[in-house]
């Protein structure tokens, strides 16, 4: 069992598409920063609740965000017309939101984080979702058109 499957078993089960679920697992295993699995959610404790801080706080935070993302996706009233006109089903919509939630913090503190605030990027972590999307694009899709549904995740 991979780290991703071990830490995010319940959240990965919310993703019904095997293709999207395998993509998330692959990114976790091959592109997530090594600190992702053990770091607190916040380097200062300022922007996250106390239970997100401390060892494995980032993983706890991502679990909660993914669950909220799933519930959010289920609450959006997509009509049949909207789904067909946007080539997206309610399930794909939900799967891509959960996938994005599971991946958004994999590069939370930047590529050079060593556990100290001195190693944080100049943006102080505020661009972490965009930084991770760029990292995924560079590793998986550079020079190619990003296929659906991955463009929804990035």
């Amino acid at each position: 069992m991979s780290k991703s499957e071990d830490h995010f078993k319940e959240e990965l089960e919310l993703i019904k598409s095997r293709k999207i679920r395998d993509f998330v697992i692959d990114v976790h295993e091959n592109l997530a920063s090594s600190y992702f699995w053990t770091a607190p959610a916040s380097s200062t404790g300022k922007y996250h609740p106390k239970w997100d801080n401390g060892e494995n706080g980032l993983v706890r935070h991502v679990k909660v965000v993914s669950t909220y993302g799933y519930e959010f996706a289920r609450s959006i009233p997509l009509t049949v017309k909207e789904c067909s006109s946007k080539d997206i089903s309610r399930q794909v919509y939900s799967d891509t939101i959960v996938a994005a939630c599971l991946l958004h913090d994999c590069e939370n503190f930047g590529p050079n984080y060593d556990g100290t605030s001195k190693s944080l990027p100049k943006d102080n972590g505020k661009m972490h979702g965009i930084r991770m999307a760029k990292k995924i694009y560079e590793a998986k899709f550079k020079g190619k058109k990003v296929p659906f549904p991955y463009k929804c995740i990035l």
Side-chain angles (χ1 to χ4, degrees):
M1 185 177 289
S2 69
K3 274 187 181 180
S4 182
E5 293 165 303
D6 186 43
H7 286 84
F8 298 113
K9 181 182 185 313
E10 295 85 9
E11 296 76 19
L12 287 166
E13 288 174 356
L14 297 174
I15 300 173
K16 301 305 177 203
S17 165
R18 186 74 205 170
K19 190 175 182 179
I20 295 173
R21 193 176 332 121
D22 287 347
F23 177 79
V24 170
I25 293 167
D26 180 58
V27 170
H28 275 157
E29 297 306 309
N30 296 299
L31 297 177
S33 295
S34 59
Y35 62 77
F36 172 71
W37 305 103
T38 58
S42 173
S43 61
T44 63
K46 186 175 177 181
Y47 298 108
H48 291 81
K50 287 182 181 180
W51 55 267
D52 273 351
N53 293 314
E55 190 165 341
N56 298 3
L58 205 47
V59 168
R60 286 192 300 277
H61 166 72
V62 167
K63 288 172 82 60
V64 170
V65 169
S66 300
T67 302
Y68 280 125
Y70 175 75
E71 293 300 328
F72 171 78
R74 289 177 3 124
S75 73
I76 300 298
L78 287 179
T79 65
V80 172
K81 183 179 177 184
E82 287 173 316
C83 289
S84 62
S85 69
K86 294 181 180 162
D87 193 30
I88 188 168
S89 70
R90 176 169 292 288
Q91 190 60 58
V92 171
Y93 182 71
S94 175
D95 287 355
T96 57
I97 287 177
V98 173
C101 291
L102 283 166
L103 298 175
H104 86 281
D105 269 341
C106 290
E107 189 79 16
N108 192 50
F109 301 122
N112 302 314
Y113 183 66
D114 64 6
T116 68
S117 59
K118 291 178 184 175
S119 63
L120 290 172
K122 290 180 182 174
D123 64 27
N124 205 22
K126 292 180 181 138
M127 301 297 287
H128 62 279
I130 293 169
R131 190 172 28 255
M132 190 61 205
K134 286 180 180 178
K135 187 174 182 178
I136 294 168
Y137 173 78
E138 291 289 322
K140 302 285 184 190
F141 304 111
K142 187 167 180 135
K144 303 179 220 169
K145 183 177 177 185
V146 179
F148 180 84
Y150 305 109
K151 62 184 169 184
C152 298
I153 297 167
L154 301 180

